[in-house]
Amino acid sequence: RYDTKNTYRQFTQVGAELIGQSGIKADAEIIELAHTGLNQIGLPSHQLRIGHLGILHDILDASGLSDPAKLFIISNIQVLKDGSSSLDKLIERANNAGTLSTGIDIHDAGTLTKKTLSGLVDKTIRYSVSQSVGRRSFDEIIDRLLGKLKGSDDINRFSDVLSLVSQLCKLNGPPEVILDEAEKMTSSIGLQSKSLDELNKLFDAINNAGVTDNLIKLDFGLVRGIS
């Protein structure tokens, strides 16, 4: 496959099926299995790189952003991690995709009615374009525009969340250090992350199984290339 530097290389994937319990104990068992297996095939100097999307989802769920805005951020985690695009450019892309608030001056999109929007369309669109508007009628266009106005995300809030996620996905290193940094980050926005508590318990379980912290890296920017 191609990696983030567009270098073609081969990788080996091994799967394991766990039947029975789930949760922290199950995750710890799979990680211990990977560690034991690598030792037994003669790779004692291996390193386990672990990603976790729980804290990311906790931040996004608390942000109040719409699902399209959350999906946009998740799909750009690798970009945020490696800095291949600036935050301003990502915000511009989200805006062009219709994810963010429009420049129309309305005090509350929730009170905007189809009648008032229809009047706006009459004045600015209906008589300035051909009567042929493709497969959609003017009423359908109004419905879609009204939905976009009500569903778009505030650009300032989106920018703040994007900046926070950018900091989160760059956290990569020893679990003890990274978990401490993540806790400071979530506390700064008044968020008590359930996923963070679970991760602390997970690494306690892993250490008790004999997989020490020096063999592990916790990487919050480790996300598969699918949304």
Side-chain angles (χ1 to χ4, degrees):
R1 70 171 179 83
Y2 283 99
D3 61 17
T4 55
K5 296 181 181 179
N6 295 322
T7 303
Y8 193 73
R9 54 183 194 165
Q10 180 178 328
F11 70 98
T12 301
Q13 180 172 311
V14 178
E17 297 290 341
L18 190 148
I19 301 173
Q21 65 182 351
S22 61
I24 293 169
K25 289 183 178 180
D27 289 340
E29 184 176 343
I30 290 294
I31 293 169
E32 182 189 359
L33 177 65
H35 167 66
T36 302
L38 290 168
N39 273 331
Q40 289 183 352
I41 63 173
L43 296 173
S45 299
H46 62 267
Q47 188 172 74
L48 301 177
R49 191 158 152 252
I50 298 173
H52 196 280
L53 288 176
I55 297 175
L56 171 63
H57 283 297
D58 288 345
I59 291 173
L60 293 178
D61 289 343
S63 70
L65 294 178
S66 66
D67 287 342
K70 294 176 187 176
L71 184 59
F72 179 89
I73 291 174
I74 292 172
S75 64
N76 282 283
I77 291 297
Q78 191 59 52
V79 174
L80 291 169
K81 180 181 181 180
D82 60 30
S84 58
S85 179
S86 68
L87 294 183
D88 287 342
K89 287 184 178 179
L90 285 175
I91 291 170
E92 182 181 357
R93 280 178 52 198
N95 194 34
N96 291 338
T99 303
L100 305 181
S101 297
T102 67
I104 297 177
D105 184 18
I106 54 174
H107 296 293
D108 184 0
T111 63
L112 190 64
T113 64
K114 186 172 180 178
K115 182 177 179 180
T116 57
L117 186 59
S118 180
L120 175 64
V121 172
D122 271 337
K123 293 178 181 178
T124 59
I125 299 177
R126 191 184 294 272
Y127 299 112
S128 61
V129 299
S130 165
Q131 290 302 305
S132 174
V133 288
R135 289 179 293 178
R136 294 193 180 95
S137 66
F138 277 106
D139 283 341
E140 288 172 329
I141 292 173
I142 291 169
D143 287 337
R144 283 174 60 83
L145 180 56
L146 188 57
K148 283 181 177 293
L149 288 173
K150 289 182 177 180
S152 58
D153 292 274
D154 177 73
I155 191 168
N156 293 320
R157 179 173 55 186
F158 180 83
S159 177
D160 289 343
V161 175
L162 190 67
S163 177
L164 184 65
V165 171
S166 177
Q167 297 173 51
L168 176 71
C169 67
K170 289 172 183 172
L171 294 181
N172 178 21
E176 185 177 352
V177 175
I178 299 305
L179 287 171
D180 185 56
E181 290 296 318
E183 187 171 1
K184 291 176 183 177
M185 188 177 296
T186 53
S187 295
S188 70
I189 59 171
L191 174 64
Q192 186 172 1
S193 172
K194 180 181 177 183
S195 298
L196 189 56
D197 293 338
E198 291 176 349
L199 267 176
N200 275 296
K201 293 176 182 177
L202 172 63
F203 285 108
D204 284 343
I206 294 172
N207 286 330
N208 291 336
V211 186
T212 55
D213 276 356
N214 65 305
L215 295 173
I216 301 172
K217 270 195 175 182
L218 177 58
D219 184 356
F220 285 124
L222 182 61
V223 180
R224 295 186 66 181
I226 52 176
S227 299

